Amino acid sequence: MWLGWLSVAVVLAARATATEQPSWAYSPPYYPSPWASGQGEWEDAYDKARTFVSQLTLTEKVNLTTGVGWMEEACVGQVGAIPRMGFRSLCMQDGPLGIRFADYVTAFPAGINVGATWSKDLAYLRGRAMGAEQRDKGVDVQLGPAIGPLGRSPDGGRNWEGFGPDPVLSGNLVSQTIKGIQDVGVIACVKHFIANEQERFRQAPEARGYGFNISESSSSNVDDVTMHELYLWPFADAVRAGVGAVMCSYNQINNSYGCSNSYTQNKLLKGELGFQGFIMSDWQAHHSGVGDALAGLDMSMPGDTLFLTGRSYWGPNLTIAVTNGTIPQWRVDDMAVRIMAAYYKVHRDRSQVPINFNSWTRNEFGYLHAGVQEGYGRVNEKINVRGRHAVVARKVASASTVLLKNNGVLPLNGKEDFTAIVGEDAGPNLWGPNSCPDRGCANGTLAMGWGSGTADFPYLVTPAQAIESEIALKGVGNVMSVFDNYATSQIKSVVSQSTVSLVFVNAGSGEGYISVDGNEGDRKNLTLWKNGDELVETVASLCNNTIVVMHTAGPVLVDKWYDHPNVTAILWAGLPGQESGNALADVIYGRVNPGAKSPFTWGKTAEDYGVSILKAPNAGTKAPQVDFKEGIFIDYRRFDKMNTEPIYEFGFGLSYTTFAFSDIRIESLQAEPYAPTEGYTTPAPNFGNSSDELQFPSGFSQVRLYIYPWLNSTNLKEASMDPEYGLPTEEYVPPGATDGRSQPLLAAGGGPGGNPGLYEELFKVSVTITNTGKKTGDEVPQLYVSLGGPNDAKVVLRGFDRITLRPGQSTVWRTSLTRRDISNWDPVAQNWVVTAHPKTVYVGNSSRNLLLSAPLTSSSARL
Ligand code: BGC
Ligand code: BGC
């Protein structure tokens, strides 16, 4: 039985190569959409939400579910208000690293930097600080953090918004970020669900803009094992952390759109993971009215079909569909209750302040409805919400700076005779740090990627600024900066005089609607930008103490120069946000001892990664098929499997001190046997039955192109403006989709994040770690497991912590392994299973420096 999934996986793989469109690229239907149970820590919130929703009329419930249209209100997305209940419209605002489209906010380091800290505490602190800023601007839902893309391909444009390509690193850090945001009274929205791993083809209209003649968005074709063991894993952690909202993605999954997909939404997210919050669509990712409602979507964003069409799949059409019985009332009640439960769970009823900014202008006065230029007034109160968050931003930035190479030259003391600073990436954007909309350019130092996951800088401390002041303050050495990468003779002249040269290089990426120098969101290659390799080589050829600093959105190829004898140190600073220069100076001058570890692998070639984004359509004008043929083998799993030597491995990073690992101990715990969840749900509950007028109230003055829940006719067909109105429901309502009777529970479900037995601890592991050097520093013990099966990765990360030790100090690091940690997904049983293959635990300080190991004895693993 335990071996069952292996043989299935082999059959699937064989089929996949036999046909052009693999048969597994099909998303099975799963209906009805699970109504929330209000389980666990959601109980109180559900009591309140049910009480609230029970008092609402149909159009008021619909108003909670549907956005009012693009740029029709202050936030990047807003639903309708319920004035009768004194309930104002909910505000959704980007993004994963701070507040987009606002002033007097903090531009935090990107998610990928949080990944590099390997620090749960810092993830929490940054989440808390971001949440507090959103709260104080009046935001209800922060559109972040991002864990999709996870980082399947190194060139994926939005990888930097998340925490890196390992599901366990990602899962731990996303949980802490969510807790931070929600603890201060804002709903977190984890995104993008799911397998949203490339920008190219994510939306057909956007792709057509780049000259690709396709009619549908690409399909990410993922097998069941890979879905569970890789992409769904961090979402399970997010649900377990109590996340209030999930954003469904633009792409299709196995040829069904993210927000229309009953398998991913109904089965995986709401069924198996027991998600109690609400699913909102990505902007314009909503593709059908009745279909998406039955497939589990709870909120349509931004509400109109396409931006500013004035029409909606929901709004009046949802009112109609419930009224004529196509969508059962329980489904719309469930949407409303889920939304309100998230609201109460994070105590929005106590923490909400008026929305006091406006996404569409930084001026104080402007249009209330910017999309249609209606209403004029004071729209931006310019409230400074930063508090002391610069401290958090700086701390995360320095703690995420990875020291990849150090021939003993770092730290510097600031009294060097002659410091040369070379490279555009050390200096300012000559147009100003916020000059390019959504950071869509590559001028000056790179401190974030581009797209909706950005924030305006309140200031941006450049590396040159910080280093020059450091040296000037000491008043001893010379410092000269050259910011033009192509000023070769000037560079040579300065570098020839220098005793130490700091060369700055970068490579960015971002969201698909902006192209920077031919990088249409995704990177077009993995090389450094703006002559970066040549720049390093020029400097290294003239200065025997060349220190390279990189600001990049992900791995770049460093093979040309990383082992050059004159390249004495290499630092990766990621995308560090507003405190870039200060944080870098902290590390370079030794105020902060680097403790970061690379959150991804640095390969010698792009091919070594085994995957890249799909570049050309491969299904004619139909949906491009992105086959995730590599399965779970991305990043270090792939390098390990192929025995490919990377330049710097996942989890690697140096310190100014050294550490020793000793004495691994494993203790098996008394655990209950794993019990598949059994039983049935309650029947679908209805909340409230207040009937109301479905037509627009008389004399109501409408904002142009605004989405309202009301109808403009008493004739439903006329009101729907749908030429196909009246089509027999069999033609578009899937079997079972409206069935509100009690339903069987899923064996792998039963609690937040899945079957509670998965989170039961089976083993305790401890290791002694000693600082054997002369400086206080941080080490990141990393626990990996070999699951032992022929289709398993050599090792997978399962635990980590970041700990600080004084010189000579020892500590016992304790961690544990849950049942999930040692299980595989069995697609036949549709459950997790601990296989009989021998399993081993490793502890070390990178994915390839596995210093200690011990077997997990099967007798102790209670299956
Ligand atoms: C992005 C989302 C973002 C939304 C709202 C979309 O284009 O994919 O991540 O939250 O826009 O700005
Ligand atoms: C009707 C459909 C219509 C939908 C949205 C349903 O109730 O049966 O024909 O497309 O409402 O207007």
Side-chain angles (χ1 to χ4, degrees):
M1 186 58 200
W2 298 334
L3 291 174
W5 72 274
L6 294 179
S7 46
V8 169
V10 170
V11 172
L12 293 177
R15 272 197 216 137
T17 47
T19 56
E20 200 192 313
Q21 183 170 308
S23 57
W24 46 268
Y26 164 71
S27 193
Y30 187 88
Y31 295 99
S33 187
W35 37 92
S37 64
Q39 65 189 9
E41 55 172 31
W42 284 82
E43 211 178 304
D44 274 0
Y46 264 86
D47 285 346
K48 292 179 187 149
R50 286 166 178 156
T51 305
F52 183 85
V53 173
S54 297
Q55 302 168 63
L56 303 185
T57 64
L58 174 59
T59 53
E60 286 168 338
K61 291 172 192 166
V62 166
N63 240 8
L64 279 177
T65 69
T66 307
V68 296
W70 179 242
M71 292 179 76
E72 290 283 33
E73 288 288 351
C75 303
V76 80
Q78 272 181 243
V79 294
I82 308 178
R84 191 176 62 87
M85 303 288 288
F87 190 81
R88 70 119 152 113
S89 145
L90 296 174
C91 160
M92 333 284 151
Q93 194 69 12
D94 291 302
L97 63 63
I99 310 180
R100 182 188 186 202
F101 291 152
D103 44 18
Y104 303 97
V105 300
T106 302
F108 291 93
I112 196 67
N113 283 63
V114 179
T117 67
W118 295 62
S119 167
K120 297 167 198 173
D121 294 344
L122 289 178
Y124 178 80
L125 286 177
R126 173 176 166 277
R128 231 185 130 89
M130 292 194 299
E133 297 196 3
Q134 298 273 11
R135 180 196 59 210
D136 295 346
K137 288 279 184 188
V139 174
D140 295 287
V141 183
Q142 173 170 348
L143 303 175
I147 46 174
L150 183 66
R152 171 183 182 247
S153 4
D155 47 352
R158 299 182 74 177
N159 293 355
W160 58 274
E161 293 185 39
F163 307 99
D166 182 86
V168 169
L169 180 62
S170 217
N172 277 281
L173 299 176
V174 80
S175 299
Q176 294 304 316
T177 306
I178 289 164
K179 286 183 184 152
I181 294 168
Q182 298 198 154
D183 278 357
V184 295
V186 169
I187 301 168
C189 176
V190 71
K191 65 190 189 182
H192 307 83
F193 191 72
I194 192 171
N196 189 175
E197 297 290 327
Q198 64 175 64
E199 292 304 285
R200 179 163 297 191
F201 311 137
R202 67 176 184 154
Q203 286 192 96
E206 186 179 280
R208 287 196 292 272
Y210 287 120
F212 297 108
N213 180 23
I214 55 168
S215 55
E216 302 293 341
S217 306
S218 56
S219 174
S220 297
N221 299 329
V222 191
D223 67 82
D224 202 24
V225 169
T226 303
M227 180 58 91
H228 281 86
E229 295 187 7
L230 201 57
Y231 298 102
L232 189 63
W233 185 290
F235 281 98
D237 291 309
V239 171
R240 214 171 134 71
V243 73
V246 173
M247 187 187 292
C248 51
S249 58
Y250 285 129
N251 57 288
Q252 306 192 57
I253 302 99
N254 297 329
N255 291 292
S256 170
Y257 274 102
C259 303
S260 315
N261 195 312
S262 64
Y263 188 82
T264 55
Q265 299 186 121
N266 286 346
K267 181 168 190 200
L268 296 181
L269 185 54
K270 290 182 171 176
E272 211 173 292
L273 302 188
F275 176 52
Q276 302 292 307
F278 64 97
I279 303 180
M280 78 166 77
S281 72
D282 199 344
W283 271 233
Q284 309 186 112
H286 191 180
H287 290 279
S288 91
V290 172
D292 289 11
L294 299 176
L297 183 69
D298 302 302
M299 183 187 279
S300 174
M301 276 293 135
D304 33 18
T305 50
L306 296 173
F307 292 165
L308 290 169
T309 54
R311 305 194 54 187
S312 179
Y313 291 110
W314 285 1
N317 281 321
L318 189 54
T319 305
I320 294 172
V322 175
T323 303
N324 72 12
T326 311
I327 294 176
Q329 188 197 320
W330 59 256
R331 182 70 268 270
V332 88
D333 287 355
D334 184 54
M335 295 174 189
V337 168
R338 284 173 177 274
I339 293 164
M340 291 310 299
Y343 173 94
Y344 287 117
K345 180 162 195 295
V346 306
H347 306 296
R348 289 298 299 152
D349 50 334
R350 299 207 296 264
S351 57
Q352 198 180 56
V353 301
I355 301 165
N356 54 57
F357 73 105
N358 188 288
S359 297
W360 322 110
T361 179
R362 292 302 84 76
N363 297 336
E364 191 177 345
F365 288 85
Y367 290 108
L368 302 171
H369 312 292
V372 291
Q373 308 210 333
E374 283 185 30
Y376 191 83
R378 185 159 182 247
V379 293
N380 182 13
E381 294 173 37
K382 297 182 171 285
I383 293 177
N384 190 335
V385 294
R386 288 181 291 171
R388 291 174 45 78
H389 301 154
V391 177
V392 177
R394 181 169 179 168
K395 177 119 184 99
V396 173
S398 62
S400 59
T401 304
V402 186
L403 181 61
L404 293 169
K405 177 177 181 179
N406 186 13
N407 288 356
V409 296
L410 287 177
L412 303 175
N413 64 22
K415 295 178 184 165
E416 292 72 24
D417 287 342
F418 196 119
T419 304
I421 297 175
V422 177
E424 180 179 328
D425 183 66
N429 178 344
L430 296 182
W431 301 342
N434 296 325
S435 53
C436 309
D438 285 333
R439 311 294 79 77
C441 60
N443 305 348
T445 195
L446 188 72
M448 54 178 83
W450 67 82
S452 65
T454 56
D456 280 5
F457 291 106
Y459 54 79
L460 171 54
V461 181
T462 67
Q465 213 179 331
I467 294 164
E468 286 170 4
S469 350
E470 186 98 22
I471 293 170
L473 268 177
K474 298 251 157 63
V476 179
N478 287 1
V479 57
M480 303 286 151
S481 299
V482 184
F483 296 140
D484 183 343
N485 286 9
Y486 301 93
T488 309
S489 66
Q490 290 83 351
I491 290 168
K492 283 182 172 166
S493 148
V494 166
V495 166
S496 313
Q497 303 169 61
S498 73
T499 45
V500 54
S501 298
L502 295 156
V503 196
F504 288 81
V505 286
N506 66 28
S509 74
E511 196 174 339
Y513 65 92
I514 297 175
S515 169
V516 175
D517 193 24
N519 298 275
E520 294 162 355
D522 305 311
R523 281 188 284 164
K524 59 185 176 187
N525 55 43
L526 298 186
T527 52
L528 288 167
W529 286 11
K530 301 196 178 180
N531 216 28
D533 285 329
E534 292 76 4
L535 190 68
V536 174
E537 283 168 337
T538 304
V539 176
S541 71
L542 295 170
C543 174
N544 65 6
N545 190 9
T546 298
I547 297 170
V548 181
V549 179
M550 296 184 278
H551 291 113
T552 70
V556 289
L557 301 177
V558 298
D559 55 300
K560 290 208 173 77
W561 45 260
Y562 79 99
D563 57 353
H564 191 298
N566 287 350
V567 172
T568 49
I570 303 175
L571 290 156
W572 177 76
L575 301 170
Q578 69 184 39
E579 291 290 328
S580 175
N582 288 336
L584 184 70
D586 286 344
V587 171
I588 287 181
Y589 294 105
R591 285 186 293 274
V592 168
N593 188 350
K597 307 284 180 183
S598 182
F600 46 71
T601 301
W602 299 70
K604 287 179 184 151
T605 70
E607 293 68 42
D608 285 353
Y609 290 90
V611 260
S612 68
I613 63 146
L614 177 73
K615 296 214 162 105
N618 58 2
T621 58
K622 294 203 209 116
Q625 299 293 304
V626 186
D627 295 334
F628 287 32
K629 285 188 198 130
E630 70 291 341
I632 61 163
F633 294 97
I634 65 168
D635 201 72
Y636 68 89
R637 293 171 173 78
R638 155 88 187 185
F639 282 77
D640 286 352
K641 182 184 180 184
M642 305 304 286
N643 248 319
T644 310
E645 194 66 34
I647 292 180
Y648 302 115
E649 72 270 23
F650 173 81
F652 171 77
L654 300 167
S655 163
Y656 297 152
T657 186
T658 49
F659 297 93
F661 286 58
S662 61
D663 199 17
I664 185 166
R665 288 177 197 218
I666 299 189
E667 182 197 336
S668 62
L669 303 171
Q670 287 303 313
E672 294 299 313
Y674 184 52
T677 294
E678 288 170 354
Y680 288 83
T681 67
T682 61
N686 281 351
F687 298 103
N689 253 320
S690 333
S691 56
D692 60 336
E693 273 307 322
L694 302 182
Q695 279 70 44
F696 275 93
S698 64
F700 186 85
S701 135
Q702 296 185 37
V703 175
R704 216 158 52 84
L705 305 182
Y706 204 91
I707 307 300
Y708 298 98
W710 297 298
L711 317 185
N712 50 22
S713 164
T714 51
N715 178 312
L716 297 186
K717 178 180 165 80
E718 226 172 271
S720 78
M721 296 193 284
D722 181 351
E724 294 195 335
Y725 189 93
L727 213 64
T729 49
E730 305 86 79
E731 297 199 12
Y732 62 96
V733 174
T738 58
D739 186 353
R741 291 172 301 176
S742 68
Q743 302 292 323
L745 296 169
L746 292 170
N755 189 313
L758 295 171
Y759 297 93
E760 199 173 348
E761 295 185 348
L762 300 190
F763 298 96
K764 283 209 177 303
V765 181
S766 68
V767 162
T768 301
I769 301 165
T770 309
N771 183 340
T772 50
K774 294 196 172 64
K775 285 190 173 124
T776 295
D778 290 1
E779 181 57 302
V780 178
Q782 301 164 36
L783 182 153
Y784 293 83
V785 170
S786 157
L787 294 168
N791 289 355
D792 285 320
K794 188 172 163 215
V795 293
V796 286
L797 180 72
R798 285 299 185 253
F800 63 89
D801 274 302
R802 179 163 175 154
I803 53 181
T804 304
L805 292 172
R806 294 185 308 275
Q809 193 189 354
S810 274
T811 193
V812 178
W813 177 59
R814 292 173 212 280
T815 187
S816 59
L817 285 169
T818 63
R819 182 174 275 111
R820 180 172 74 143
D821 288 333
I822 60 162
S823 293
N824 286 92
W825 178 253
D826 180 336
V828 174
Q830 284 294 295
N831 207 341
W832 295 90
V833 59
V834 179
T835 68
H837 300 295
K839 306 190 192 310
T840 312
V841 168
Y842 299 88
V843 175
N845 59 3
S846 86
S847 60
R848 290 197 163 210
N849 198 29
L850 305 170
L851 298 158
L852 305 169
S853 68
L856 281 180
T857 50
S858 56
S859 64
S860 48
R862 293 281 301 274
L863 310 177

